[in-house]
Amino acid sequence: MSDLPLNIDPDKMTVSEFKQYLPELAAAGAGKVSEDSRFGKFFKANPDCLALVKDLETIADAAKSLFEPVGDPSDNVWTNIASKLQQGNRDDE
């Protein structure tokens, strides 16, 4: 993980400071904040902050997965679509 914002000392950080700088920490993108050993003492003293970070990381991971390629549909999908289109044309007659 990169340098902390404004050289904050995680061992002396308040909950308010942590919440203020959390977006910057998360945006650094160099690993998970919840796994950063520099915050071990802080998270031990502030388990709610750790829970918040883990929740945000879970949401971020889920959001990233929305943009992963899924792959091409199987041939059965195209066959079913063609069949439905043909059936629709017959119903119009």
Side-chain angles (χ1 to χ4, degrees):
M1 199 166 231
S2 62
D3 290 332
L4 295 175
L6 302 176
N7 297 320
I8 288 178
D9 181 356
D11 292 335
K12 297 178 184 175
M13 184 175 3
T14 66
V15 171
S16 294
E17 288 173 328
F18 180 76
K19 288 181 179 178
Q20 178 182 353
Y21 293 112
L22 183 55
E24 281 183 63
L25 294 169
K32 294 187 175 192
V33 176
S34 65
E35 297 173 356
D36 189 328
S37 62
R38 296 177 294 179
F39 293 100
K41 184 177 176 182
F42 176 80
F43 287 145
K44 189 171 185 173
N46 301 283
D48 288 344
C49 289
L50 177 59
L52 171 65
V53 168
K54 286 186 174 187
D55 286 346
L56 293 173
E57 290 171 346
T58 299
I59 292 167
D61 288 343
K64 287 177 191 172
S65 72
L66 294 174
F67 297 102
E68 293 176 359
V70 178
D72 292 331
S74 72
D75 290 338
N76 290 337
V77 171
W78 299 118
T79 303
N80 288 337
I81 291 172
S83 174
K84 295 289 183 186
L85 288 172
Q86 287 175 355
Q87 183 180 11
N89 287 339
R90 281 187 229 128
D91 291 341
D92 292 338
E93 294 175 356

